[in-house]
Amino acid sequence: MMGPAHSLSGAAAWLGVGAAAAAAGHSMPWPVLVVGALICAGAALAPDLDHKSATISRAFGPLSRGLCEIVDKLSYAVYRSTRKPGDPRRSGGHRTLTHTWVWAVLIGAGSSVLAVTGGRWAVLALLFVHMVLAIEGLLWRAARGSSSDVLVWLLAAASAWIMAGVLDKPGNGSDWLFTAPGQEYLWLGLPVVLGALVHDIGDALTVSGCPILWPIPIGRRRWYPIGPPRMMRFRAGSWIELKVLMPVFMLLGGVGGAVALNFI
């Protein structure tokens, strides 16, 4: 899928989690619901860090472009070293390592550890990165073009600062779900994991499929492209994605948010 659909699906997924959490008796304070949805929307772009033409590759200028090249080479090296006889030869690392459940869990766990051990500045950094990605994904038409990059970064920095301040206030959710002393912001890794997995599921619906289950072997392949039957798949950016899936994501996100906030 394309960036906007990935971001919308990520936001909708977290709002759905908010509804499920409310039903389970662990209701999210509204700041957790909002911040988590934005983080998840941004994290839903992150697996494409292995693709130089993806939204995330230009989100932070030369820094993200250079990181994309490194991740692409790393992903390709992992693919070559772990492929089985049934896995095809390829020339790049796109839709390999960063499109697996292993990667999703690692970046989510890393985000939680960073938030808990790094203090306020680490939390601000996590929020800033994901706010930039969320803006790039959700407002992609307005955010396109190098002239808008600085404005996106300023908006993301201001948003991160305000959100961190709101979450820090008693009862606003810095300790949501994990309430023991020293576990503030441990939950920040959850929307990161969810966003990455939602991205992978979205890509699995497209023609190429997605090797979400790596390194679990399936037959003669370790990088088996999981997906529905061929007749149910679509091409990224097709009318199904734009005219059907994106409106569905918006509807589901709205319903999930309303349930999470006890409006319905």
Side-chain angles (χ1 to χ4, degrees):
M1 290 198 298
M2 304 297 285
H6 278 310
S7 287
L8 270 178
S9 66
W14 184 256
L15 294 171
V17 169
H26 297 286
S27 296
M28 296 180 184
W30 71 264
V32 173
L33 189 68
V34 173
V35 173
L38 290 171
I39 291 176
C40 202
L45 295 180
D48 277 342
L49 194 57
D50 60 4
H51 194 327
K52 64 180 180 181
S53 298
T55 300
I56 189 173
S57 70
R58 61 177 179 80
F60 300 96
L63 178 62
S64 54
R65 286 194 292 272
L67 185 57
C68 274
E69 292 184 8
I70 294 172
V71 172
D72 177 49
K73 289 180 172 58
L74 172 64
S75 299
Y76 181 53
V78 172
Y79 180 86
R80 288 186 60 189
S81 63
T82 62
R83 62 184 289 267
K84 294 187 70 177
D87 291 311
R89 296 186 180 276
R90 53 187 302 149
S91 58
H94 181 48
R95 283 204 187 185
T96 55
L97 179 61
T98 62
H99 287 67
T100 66
W101 69 271
V102 174
W103 180 272
V105 171
L106 286 176
I107 62 171
S111 296
S112 289
V113 170
L114 182 62
V116 171
T117 61
R120 179 176 175 81
W121 288 107
V123 171
L124 285 171
L126 284 170
L127 292 176
F128 170 72
V129 167
H130 288 95
M131 290 309 105
V132 170
L133 295 178
I135 294 168
E136 292 277 2
L138 298 173
L139 303 177
W140 67 284
R141 289 189 183 277
R144 291 184 72 86
S146 58
S147 60
S148 64
D149 285 347
V150 175
L151 293 177
V152 170
W153 298 338
L154 289 174
L155 176 59
S159 300
W161 187 271
I162 293 170
M163 290 173 182
V166 171
L167 287 168
D168 274 340
K169 294 180 179 179
N172 275 6
S174 62
D175 60 350
W176 174 74
L177 197 60
F178 302 98
T179 56
Q183 292 184 349
E184 293 82 7
Y185 293 109
L186 184 61
W187 63 268
L188 283 183
L190 298 179
V192 175
V193 173
L194 182 61
L197 291 176
V198 168
H199 178 110
D200 296 344
I201 293 170
D203 278 355
L205 299 176
T206 63
V207 174
S208 300
C210 188
I212 304 172
L213 296 181
W214 179 89
I216 301 171
I218 299 178
R220 298 177 65 249
R221 305 183 69 170
R222 196 181 302 278
W223 296 90
Y224 189 87
I226 299 296
R230 290 284 178 180
M231 61 181 295
M232 298 177 62
R233 302 187 190 188
F234 58 88
R235 293 190 178 278
S238 68
W239 67 271
I240 296 177
E241 179 179 332
L242 301 175
K243 303 295 185 180
V244 178
L245 291 181
M246 290 179 67
V248 168
F249 294 151
M250 286 188 278
L251 176 61
L252 292 177
V255 172
V259 172
L261 295 173
N262 295 316
F263 290 154
I264 58 175

